[in-house]
Amino acid sequence: MAPRSSPDGYGPKTLFEKIWETHRIDTGTSGAGLVAIDRVFLHERTGAAALKSMAAAGRPVRDPARVFAVMDHIVDTRIGRGDGTLMEGGSAFITETRAAAKAAGITLFDVNDPDQGITHVISPELGIVLPGVTLVAPDSHTCTQGALGALAWGIGSSEAEHAMATGTLRIEKPRTMRVTFTGQLAPGVTAKDMALALIAAHGAGGGAGHAVEFAGEAVEALDIEARMTLCNMATEFSAMAGFIAPDAKTFEYLAGRRYAPANFDDPYWQTLSTDEGATFDTEIEIDAASLAPMVSWGTSPQHSMPIDGAVPQGPERAHQYIDLAPGTAMLGTPIDVAFVGSCTNARLSDLRRAAALVKGRKVAASIKKAMVVPGSSAVKRAAEAEGLDTIFTEAGFEWRASGCSLCFFAGGERFPEGSRTISSTNRNFEGRQGPGIRTHIASPETVIASAVAGVIADPRELAKESAQ
């Protein structure tokens, strides 16, 4: 048997254990550890509350250079936006976060800042997240940033206060898990499908209590933005964090970004991988070549299935809410709304693939609303420079400014009542995109194919047509 990975400095170590040990300040008898926090990222939905609470208690931000804030959750995504929002009282979140960030001396990416965007999109874009760092934010999808080899996870507002005031957090040390995707993905299958296949097979609670490292030939073949999609969904697996060991692609992606180091020549960077012989508490292996495009059928990401299959038997409440009986074919299910966006699938590579499929085509007349919301202002500008916005608008999609938008319903903008949506987002809970809205999550390619057909459709078929 291979020697057991150990936090005592002996034996081969996992990447998680290396990051944990370099950041551990103290370990209590209960197994909880006090760890150093390198970066804190806030957003306007909870940022002002955390900063104002600290100010009221007389606690300054310990190191303002390590704390960032952005307007992304409640901000309006309609072109020409300002502080106004469709959400009642939403403007106060924006103005109060702006004032609190200024008072605390932290870096703010404001509503119309050229670097504004969704937290987990702009942090990698700017090189704020780096391999081996610890990064926290009051947002469950902070794990997205583990794609760069960081230990990144979501926290609550009170924890954000503690991290900003002390530069530390006390957390329970998670168990370790490695999910290995062997082989290569078939054409038309994406990182989103990898994540949904994992969650469907092992449950939405399958990663609970674990820090999950994604590995294997199929993961190594993904570009950095696709790796972000995979790590983004780790929270839907109930993992504390999801991450991928940095490699040449990672350092090439980060080179020249504003907050990244001038170079990665220091030998330290090359140590950030799991040692040969290191062991994990849990191991899962999935044959990537066996995967197909996935789509959710119910009210949890674990209610996902290959797109060309039939709805399985599941919880009665999920069937009632989504209005699909067991045995129903997913292909051909009529949809009302198509949405491309979110921290899961709204980066430039996502929009390029989506635009390539929809170019020269039209959204079906039966679709009530079709939207594309770029993940950041930088993504929006780059997409427009390539003419992607024109492709989308000519097809019948609405082109928006960046933000979280209708990934979740905040009480303002909404889809038509009772709509069935096909969405590139990460959650299909009851009411996630609005009261009574029935959400099917899938890849951007599946969203496009379905928007064109007016029913849930296989993107591989549309790709075949494009190739002819």
Side-chain angles (χ1 to χ4, degrees):
M1 179 180 294
R4 173 71 184 161
S5 300
S6 172
D8 61 8
Y10 299 99
K13 298 181 179 64
T14 66
L15 174 57
F16 167 77
E17 286 165 334
K18 291 179 180 182
I19 298 175
W20 177 270
E21 289 180 25
T22 57
H23 288 79
R24 183 186 62 192
I25 298 168
D26 173 63
T27 301
T29 55
S30 66
L34 185 67
V35 297
I37 302 299
D38 298 316
R39 311 278 192 276
V40 181
F41 224 120
L42 307 174
H43 56 76
E44 81 279 23
R45 198 176 186 201
T46 58
L51 290 169
K52 289 166 66 178
S53 177
M54 287 178 64
R59 298 189 183 99
V61 174
R62 184 174 185 270
D63 188 350
R66 293 172 180 255
V67 182
F68 304 83
V70 67
M71 309 294 192
D72 66 352
H73 271 62
I74 294 170
V75 64
D76 194 348
T77 60
R78 292 174 298 177
I79 301 297
R81 68 187 177 193
D83 289 354
T85 70
L86 292 176
M87 172 186 169
E88 185 176 353
S91 296
F93 287 91
I94 293 172
T95 56
E96 289 178 12
T97 297
R98 182 181 295 133
K102 182 177 180 181
I106 67 173
T107 299
L108 171 68
F109 304 107
D110 212 333
V111 174
N112 289 313
D113 189 295
D115 293 318
Q116 179 274 342
I118 303 173
T119 302
H120 323 305
V121 178
I122 67 170
S123 179
E125 280 181 349
L126 295 169
I128 292 170
V129 63
L130 295 170
V133 306
T134 53
L135 184 150
V136 295
D139 186 301
S140 58
H141 292 101
T142 303
C143 55
T144 306
Q145 301 181 57
L148 282 300
L151 184 60
W153 69 97
I155 57 173
S157 292
S158 59
E159 291 175 298
E161 291 181 45
H162 190 284
M164 288 189 286
T166 69
T168 68
L169 277 179
R170 184 169 293 280
I171 61 171
E172 291 290 329
K173 185 179 181 181
R175 298 185 297 278
T176 57
M177 177 187 292
R178 179 165 56 190
V179 177
T180 302
F181 288 90
T182 62
Q184 293 290 343
L185 295 173
V189 183
T190 71
K192 182 67 158 290
D193 304 312
M194 295 167 71
L196 290 177
L198 167 67
I199 298 166
H202 296 276
H210 289 80
V212 177
E213 179 174 348
F214 295 106
E217 185 181 357
V219 173
E220 293 168 5
L222 297 174
D223 63 33
I224 297 301
E225 294 189 345
R227 294 179 187 184
M228 292 183 206
T229 297
L230 181 58
C231 290
N232 174 272
M233 298 293 288
T235 191
E236 311 310 331
F237 192 45
S238 297
M240 173 263 195
F243 48 89
I244 297 168
D247 58 11
K249 290 182 182 179
T250 311
F251 298 116
E252 181 179 350
Y253 173 89
L254 289 168
R257 297 187 185 269
R258 185 182 310 167
Y259 291 94
N263 61 67
F264 292 93
D265 295 337
D266 192 303
Y268 162 76
W269 301 106
Q270 306 309 316
T271 69
L272 295 172
S273 61
T274 291
D275 295 333
E276 185 176 354
T279 57
F280 293 78
D281 294 301
T282 307
E283 292 260 21
I284 292 174
E285 185 172 299
I286 295 174
D287 176 12
S290 70
L291 302 182
M294 301 286 290
V295 64
S296 69
W297 64 263
T299 55
S300 165
Q302 75 178 14
H303 299 154
S304 294
M305 52 176 280
I307 197 167
D308 54 1
V311 175
Q313 180 68 57
E316 183 59 30
R317 177 166 175 163
H319 287 293
Q320 290 178 350
Y321 184 85
I322 208 71
D323 194 23
L324 290 176
T328 303
M330 287 301 296
L331 290 175
T333 301
I335 59 167
D336 306 298
V337 172
F339 182 85
V340 176
S342 83
C343 58
T344 315
N345 279 126
R347 296 173 180 82
L348 185 59
S349 58
D350 297 310
L351 302 190
R352 283 171 174 162
R353 297 194 315 272
L357 276 182
V358 82
K359 186 175 183 179
R361 296 185 169 91
K362 298 290 185 182
V363 170
S366 60
I367 299 295
K368 299 173 184 176
K369 193 175 187 67
M371 296 171 59
V372 177
V373 184
S376 72
S377 295
V379 168
K380 179 176 181 289
R381 290 192 301 273
E384 290 170 348
E386 295 180 15
L388 305 187
D389 60 321
T390 301
I391 292 173
F392 287 122
T393 56
E394 288 181 350
F397 279 88
E398 187 177 348
W399 179 250
R400 291 292 192 100
S402 67
C404 294
S405 188
L406 278 164
C407 172
F408 76 104
F409 179 69
E413 186 173 16
R414 64 186 64 210
F415 292 134
E417 186 174 351
S419 293
R420 184 182 298 278
T421 75
I422 187 80
S423 179
S424 74
T425 53
N426 42 52
R427 288 181 173 161
N428 55 326
F429 305 155
E430 292 184 23
R432 171 70 177 182
Q433 291 186 297
I437 302 299
R438 294 163 292 175
T439 300
H440 298 276
I441 52 177
S443 69
E445 288 90 333
T446 297
V447 174
I448 293 297
S450 303
V452 170
V455 298
I456 292 178
D458 192 328
R460 296 171 296 188
E461 298 303 315
L462 195 62
K464 288 178 184 177
E465 293 177 18
S466 298
Q468 293 175 353

